[in-house]
Amino acid sequence: LSFREWFDTMYQARKDQILEATNHGTMMFVTYQIIVNMASSFKFQGSYGYPSPFKEIMDSLSGIFTIDIVGVLHVDCLGRTDFLDKLLASTMVPIGLFLLEAEI
């Protein structure tokens, strides 16, 4: 019995549990992304963000769960940006990349 056959057998036997764990993981990842990004948008609009113990936890998780499109592409170098510009860049770039990949 080769490793590939063993792996396929184990996957087929536990396919439902693997898919369920994947779905739960995806939901947790998306939820953490929303929570972490809410703190940065609150700070951007002039608020102080989350209270102290929760803020430290969110700051430590922010490097894992956020992808700052504006920071990666250095959109700020093109000119002065505001919240709407960052929101558009954060939403339109992933959609554009998906459309390019899907060749639509």
Side-chain angles (χ1 to χ4, degrees):
L1 194 66
S2 71
F3 177 75
R4 174 73 182 196
E5 292 170 350
W6 175 82
F7 184 79
D8 287 340
T9 304
M10 296 303 284
Y11 176 76
Q12 291 301 325
R14 292 169 177 82
K15 188 175 183 178
D16 292 335
Q17 291 93 351
I18 292 170
L19 291 176
E20 185 175 343
T22 303
N23 289 339
H24 287 285
T26 301
M27 285 187 280
M28 292 296 292
F29 185 78
V30 169
T31 301
Y32 282 128
Q33 280 184 318
I34 292 169
I35 291 171
V36 169
N37 284 320
M38 280 177 52
S40 64
S41 67
F42 288 152
K43 286 183 213 171
F44 189 79
Q45 294 178 350
S47 175
Y48 293 108
Y50 292 129
S52 180
F54 192 67
K55 180 185 178 306
E56 280 83 25
I57 295 170
M58 289 298 109
D59 288 343
S60 64
L61 293 175
S62 68
I64 301 169
F65 292 105
T66 60
I67 300 172
D68 184 14
I69 300 292
V70 175
V72 171
L73 298 178
H74 299 288
V75 175
D76 293 338
C77 294
L78 299 174
R80 192 168 173 98
T81 60
D82 60 0
F83 180 74
L84 181 60
D85 297 328
K86 291 181 180 186
L87 178 65
L88 287 173
S90 297
T91 55
M92 298 310 287
V93 168
I95 292 171
L97 291 174
F98 172 76
L99 293 175
L100 286 173
E101 179 66 29
E103 297 177 6
I104 294 177

